[in-house]
């Protein structure tokens, strides 16, 4: 069996080419945030700063954090206050009116530590507004990757490394850890992949294909053949089976 690191690494350039749609689709959750002029907002998992910039443009004083140096550097080049931090060990204490996050929390599998860090970062009464992958997200892609891992002798745990909770599960976690949940919902969001399934895998599941080594191209062909009947539209476009969880919760004023 071939093995490889499970560590996902990011290249701002590859992300910009294959996955700009992720921050563009995040515009909807910004409407839930309603950033106000002068308030302090933490953008958790800010990526290359595309949405952080929009929060700043609304007049908020925003700090972006991300564990990827490549992303943080890109965000800083936009003139943003962006810092390298793990979302599982946030260093802030009672200083933000809001914590915002788009398409990032599913990468942080120690969810209790993430929620505790968000709680600590907020002022009492402050709001937490987020969108990320929910239960069933990319289920067809994960199943195909697992099947191809079996066929080609790749470590199958490399096929699924994310946290995709149900609304009930996430509501319970937030409530246990000092939040009052105002709104939480799961929504299917079939998502057009502008650079196809290969572009998506190159961006989001690189370790799986590094593990495939010399067979990577063959494995990709097999994954595409398995998924084409369910994820390709009649006009040949790839549409991924995204499911998003959206939440607004408030730190209970203690
Ligand atoms: C995303 O960042 O949008 C994403 C990452 C992994 C799986 C599905 C979606």
């Amino acid at each position: 069996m071939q093995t490889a690191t499970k560590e996902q690494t990011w290249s701002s350039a590859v992300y910009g080419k294959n996955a700009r749609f992720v921050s563009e689709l995040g515009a909807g959750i910004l409407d839930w945030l309603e950033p106000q002029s002068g308030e302090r907002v933490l953008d958790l998992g800010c990526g290359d700063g595309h949405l952080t910039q929009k929060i700043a443009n609304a007049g908020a004083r925003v700090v972006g954090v991300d564990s990827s140096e490549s992303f943080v550097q890109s965000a800083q080049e936009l003139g943003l206050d962006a810092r390298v931090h793990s979302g599982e060990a946030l260093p802030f204490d009672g200083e933000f009116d809001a914590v915002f996050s788009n398409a990032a929390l599913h990468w942080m599998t120690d969810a209790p530590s993430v929620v505790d860090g968000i709680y600590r970062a907020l002022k009492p009464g402050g709001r937490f507004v987020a969108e990320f992958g929910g239960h069933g997200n990319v289920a067809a892609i994960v199943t195909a990757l697992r099947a191809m891992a079996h066929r080609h002798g790749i470590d199958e745990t490399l096929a699924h490394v994310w946290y995709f909770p149900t609304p009930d599960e996430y509501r319970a976690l937030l409530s246990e850890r000092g939040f009052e949940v105002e709104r939480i919902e799961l929504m299917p969001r079939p998502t057009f992949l502008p650079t196809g399934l290969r572009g998506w895998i190159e961006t989001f599941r690189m370790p799986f294909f590094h593990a495939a080594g010399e067979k990577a191209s063959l494995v990709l062909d097999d994954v595409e053949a398995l998924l084409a009947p369910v994820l390709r539209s009649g006009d040949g476009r790839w549409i991924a089976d995204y499911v998003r969880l959206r939440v607004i919760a408030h730190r209970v004023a203690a």
Side-chain angles (χ1 to χ4, degrees):
M1 175 174 294
Q2 308 192 43
T3 53
T5 173
K6 286 187 192 178
E7 195 68 32
Q8 169 77 22
T9 53
W10 295 104
S11 147
S12 208
V14 172
Y15 192 87
K17 174 168 75 88
N18 294 330
R20 173 56 59 220
F21 65 89
V22 172
S23 47
E24 279 165 1
L25 291 171
I29 194 68
L30 265 188
D31 292 341
W32 282 31
L33 177 68
E34 291 185 276
Q36 305 297 309
S37 184
E39 68 177 355
R40 286 202 80 209
V41 177
L42 176 66
D43 184 359
L44 171 54
C46 66
D48 61 7
H50 192 81
L51 287 178
T52 327
Q53 178 84 78
K54 290 191 191 305
I55 297 169
N57 290 347
R61 291 171 297 143
V62 59
V63 175
V65 294
D66 205 285
S67 60
S68 157
E69 284 184 22
S70 172
F71 277 152
V72 166
Q73 196 182 334
S74 296
Q76 287 170 343
E77 282 164 10
L78 296 175
L80 296 163
D81 178 351
R83 311 173 193 176
V84 177
H85 284 298
S86 160
E88 289 164 345
L90 289 172
F92 307 102
D93 190 9
E95 51 194 285
F96 291 100
D97 299 289
V99 173
F100 171 80
S101 186
N102 178 58
L105 297 177
H106 45 247
W107 293 102
M108 305 173 200
T109 51
D110 183 358
S113 297
V114 175
V115 169
D116 288 347
I118 294 167
Y119 180 93
R120 281 192 307 272
L122 284 169
K123 298 174 184 171
R127 66 197 187 284
F128 166 46
V129 179
E131 176 174 314
F132 61 107
H135 184 75
N137 195 33
V138 293
I141 297 178
V142 167
T143 304
L145 292 178
R146 288 176 68 88
M148 291 308 100
H150 275 282
R151 181 180 291 174
H152 293 284
I154 298 167
D155 175 1
E156 72 178 82
T157 65
L158 292 172
H160 186 356
V161 294
W162 302 290
Y163 171 64
F164 295 146
T166 64
D168 284 351
E169 221 178 312
Y170 205 59
R171 177 191 289 279
L173 181 72
L174 289 170
S175 305
E176 270 161 24
R177 300 183 111 82
F179 285 89
E180 194 169 326
V181 177
E182 180 187 322
R183 188 170 170 188
I184 188 161
E185 55 194 52
L186 192 68
M187 45 179 255
R189 185 195 282 148
T191 299
F192 167 56
L193 304 179
T195 56
L197 190 65
R198 285 181 186 244
W200 190 90
I201 290 168
E202 187 192 346
T203 311
F204 293 108
R205 219 48 319 261
M206 209 185 267
F208 182 92
F209 285 93
H210 283 165
E214 290 173 355
K215 287 199 284 183
S217 184
L218 180 71
V219 175
L220 275 172
D221 289 345
D222 279 359
V223 174
E224 285 196 331
L226 199 57
L227 284 172
V230 284
L231 295 187
R232 270 195 118 154
S233 59
D235 58 5
R237 301 186 316 152
W238 284 98
I239 316 263
D241 51 339
Y242 272 35
V243 177
R244 290 316 220 197
L245 188 69
R246 284 183 163 186
V247 63
I248 302 187
H250 298 265
R251 173 178 160 165
V252 173

